[in-house]
Amino acid sequence: MRLAIVGGGSAGWMTAVYLDRTLNGTNGPKRVQITVIESPKIDRIGVGEATVPTILKTLQDMGISEKEFMSEADATFKQAIKFVDWNKGRDSNAYYHCFDRYQTSGRDNFSLRWALSGRDKPFAYTVSAQPYICDQNRAPKRPSDKEYQGRLPYAYHMDAEKFAEFLAKTGVERGIAHISDTVTDVNTDPKGIRSVVLEHGGEMAFDFFIDCTGFARLLMSQLPGYGIRSFSDKLLCDRAVAIQVPHDPEHPEILSSTESTAVENGWIWNISLQSRKGYGYVYSSAHCSDEDAETRLRSFIGPRSESVAARRLSFQSGVLKNPWVGNCVAVGLSAGFVEPMESTGIYFVEYAARMFAELFPIFGNNLLLQSRFNELIHSRYDEVLDFIVAHYVLSDRDDTAFWKEARKQEKATEKLQDLLKIWQHKMVSASDFANSHQLFGHLNYEYCVYGSNYLPDKIRIHQSHNGAIVNKAIQTAVQSFSECLPRNSEYFSSKSPGNED
Ligand code: FAD
């Protein structure tokens, strides 16, 4: 089969390398001939710096060395997201959404015990050593630990542009064909897409196409049934401005978490890479002009941002009504997007590539495969949408028109509203989420719900004055991790981080 991937951003090259490895293996002739067509004139989006832990398995499945990836993509470890100023009027105005959660083998009642205590320590510090390790800017592993194995779970922060370049180099070395040309026309037929016309290379026909052209959606927009299921009634943000700056010599720490700070008309991300920092303000254009957003971001970063150019981006949160139509599948931004609060853009690429490999039309293309794929993609988007909206709805900020609007109960889907109602009568638990593909289940919601101090009313009113609950297992873990795990700065200054013994 001849498969064309149009677009060479993170989505195009991840999909190419993933499909080549999973469908063709490492030896023998290639069953699927993959060609990536990438315009030399149209820039990649250039953002997409934080990931979720599924990326470890995806990179392993792609046969990529962690050490090489981290060095080529300027990558660091991410162990949590720290939500700062998402709530007002509490002792602590920040909460962690960690990747680790201590669990006992029997019925886990830590959330209830925490809720019934004086809650002197935020919830996350009671159920995980990770917030302490993040506060100390430590890595989740030692340089001598095996690739992809941490003492604590982790994902990565990385340079999106360098990541795509690294994957492109890897793909070409493995025999994936690469055409640097711009698609100027798309020819359709009853099966879907017949061929694409290149600016310099003429017409090229393939059996199957993957649209990775980002928000341009160059191929999908030519097919029947094209349309976007918008989430703009649920999420207000539709713009971002991003700035990259060198590390501050006075505060050179490499953070272990993505920081998300709520501000007047949205939120600002702060991500540490090995050689620089990335900042971005995600905001609502109905509440803030592009100029004001850039000024706000520059004032947040401080003088280091003065001589650095900003990149302005607009986006629509939503998903294609049909991500697979005929012989064409959309992956990456061309398929959909939800604001990057929980770093799900690259995850959606991983998931779509994995599901497409699983449903690959070996025995011929089929409507059943298409509708199964579309159903799976939609359910992932719905799930992620609920979790993102939950952060807004659970916030108690009401200082601007943006926050008054963003946190309205009706922004939550019926399903999320039902969950919020039942969590007024019980603690969050596994049975609230029954899908085996779920990215964000009860352990993730706990961090958000209890980080936002959303508790059953009866508990809130009858708060005990017993101080904090003491979880001895966490105290022991913190002590041992603090002794054995290096600080990020030490990890990345060691000569060859990754896997030497
Ligand atoms: P792009 O990078 O836009 O690539 C499109 C490709 O298509 C380019 O190679 C371009 O040259 C090519 N192309 C376009 N038109 C043509 C044509 N006519 N002919 C040939 N080629 C063409 N994700 C995360 O996981 N974590 C994050 O923290 C995160 N933050 C984000 C912040 C913002 C503000 C935004 C908007 C997105 C963020 N994302 C994040 C999403 C992430 O950036 C994308 O999911 C990821 O980079 C994949 O992008 P892409 O490859 O689909 O598109």
Side-chain angles (χ1 to χ4, degrees), residues 132-200:
Y132 297 89
I133 298 307
C134 288
D135 286 343
Q136 295 170 21
N137 300 316
R138 290 188 189 276
K141 64 195 287 186
R142 294 163 63 104
S144 56
D145 287 338
K146 287 208 166 73
E147 294 213 323
Y148 298 113
Q149 283 183 28
R151 314 274 169 121
L152 285 161
Y154 63 91
Y156 308 102
H157 294 129
M158 64 196 180
D159 182 314
E161 194 60 42
K162 289 184 177 166
F163 180 51
E165 282 303 316
F166 166 61
L167 293 177
K169 188 181 84 178
T170 307
V172 170
E173 278 166 10
R174 292 181 185 178
I176 294 171
H178 179 208
I179 297 174
S180 177
D181 206 340
T182 304
V183 173
T184 52
D185 213 349
V186 178
N187 296 316
T188 57
D189 66 13
K191 285 191 193 152
I193 290 172
R194 191 183 73 241
S195 62
V196 286
V197 180
L198 306 184
E199 188 178 18
H200 301 291

Side-chain angles (χ1 to χ4, degrees), residues 7-11 39 42 45 47-50 183 212-213 218 240 333 337 340 345-346:
S10 317
S39 170
I42 302 166
I45 193 147
V47 282
E49 302 197 320
V183 173
C212 291
T213 59
L218 198 72
L333 296 174
F337 182 62
I346 288 169

Side-chain angles (χ1 to χ4, degrees), residues 21-68:
R21 186 47 70 113
T22 51
L23 300 176
N24 290 327
T26 48
N27 333 294
K30 291 189 186 291
R31 274 193 310 145
V32 183
Q33 308 285 333
I34 302 175
T35 302
V36 175
I37 304 171
E38 177 184 8
S39 170
K41 292 183 182 167
I42 302 166
D43 288 342
R44 299 173 179 134
I45 193 147
V47 282
E49 302 197 320
T51 55
V52 294
T54 53
I55 187 76
L56 273 70
K57 176 159 188 336
T58 304
L59 291 174
Q60 276 177 290
D61 289 348
M62 288 158 75
I64 282 174
S65 140
E66 181 178 52
K67 180 180 166 190
E68 200 187 345

Side-chain angles (χ1 to χ4, degrees), residues 224-433:
Y226 173 72
I228 292 162
R229 185 155 72 82
S230 169
F231 303 147
S232 55
D233 58 329
K234 306 279 174 224
L235 292 168
L236 302 181
C237 290
D238 58 354
R239 293 274 202 286
V241 52
I243 295 182
Q244 299 169 352
V245 294
H247 281 291
D248 180 351
E250 283 179 24
H251 301 282
E253 303 84 20
I254 294 177
L255 302 180
S256 301
S257 57
T258 306
E259 276 189 7
S260 161
T261 305
V263 293
E264 298 77 11
N265 295 300
W267 55 276
I268 291 176
W269 78 71
N270 169 8
I271 286 174
S272 301
L273 303 187
Q274 292 185 42
S275 70
R276 65 156 173 85
K277 287 212 163 210
Y279 292 88
Y281 183 6
V282 176
Y283 59 98
S284 154
S285 62
H287 298 85
C288 178
S289 71
D290 297 341
E291 291 68 31
D292 287 351
E294 187 174 327
T295 306
R296 181 67 179 91
L297 181 62
R298 288 187 187 280
S299 83
F300 183 89
I301 302 170
R304 281 174 306 141
S305 75
E306 271 163 20
S307 54
V308 186
R311 181 189 286 240
R312 292 180 183 178
L313 302 150
S314 59
F315 59 81
Q316 182 188 9
S317 286
V319 57
L320 284 185
K321 287 181 183 154
N322 299 298
W324 179 344
V325 177
N327 66 345
C328 188
V329 166
V331 178
L333 296 174
S334 67
F337 182 62
V338 185
E339 67 176 66
M341 188 196 298
E342 284 284 348
S343 327
T344 44
I346 288 169
Y347 162 75
F348 280 126
V349 176
E350 298 171 45
Y351 186 75
R354 180 164 294 129
M355 288 307 104
F356 181 62
E358 214 172 291
L359 296 165
F360 193 75
I362 312 171
F363 308 111
N365 203 351
N366 185 299
L367 277 176
L368 288 175
L369 298 176
Q370 297 174 31
S371 56
R372 177 79 181 124
F373 180 86
N374 292 342
E375 192 187 299
L376 286 166
I377 299 293
H378 275 260
S379 71
R380 290 286 66 69
Y381 271 90
D382 288 340
E383 174 213 325
V384 167
L385 174 67
D386 273 347
F387 193 47
I388 304 296
V389 171
H391 292 72
Y392 285 112
V393 172
L394 290 170
S395 166
D396 60 2
R397 279 190 73 137
D398 56 3
D399 49 322
T400 61
F402 169 84
W403 284 99
K404 284 184 182 127
E405 179 70 18
R407 59 189 281 264
K408 281 185 175 161
Q409 287 296 312
E410 61 263 30
K411 296 282 172 204
T413 59
E414 213 172 298
K415 185 174 157 221
L416 178 58
Q417 290 196 31
D418 286 349
L419 286 171
L420 294 172
K421 274 183 211 146
I422 200 165
W423 292 334
Q424 276 296 304
H425 304 280
K426 70 180 269 295
M427 304 309 284
V428 177
S429 65
S431 64
D432 299 325
F433 303 92

Side-chain angles (χ1 to χ4, degrees), residues 101-104 107-123 126-127 427-428 446 450 455-456 459 462-475:
R101 160 70 155 89
Y102 172 77
Q103 289 178 83
T104 50
R107 188 172 170 276
D108 182 336
N109 65 356
F110 271 107
S111 59
L112 181 60
R113 284 180 52 205
W114 169 81
L116 292 170
S117 75
R119 303 193 290 279
D120 286 3
K121 267 196 195 323
F123 172 71
T126 318
V127 292
M427 304 309 284
V428 177
E446 274 186 337
Y450 302 132
L455 290 164
I459 290 185
H462 299 290
Q463 178 165 3
S464 122
H465 297 287
N466 288 343
I469 66 159
V470 178
N471 185 341
K472 288 216 175 93
I474 298 298
Q475 288 181 329

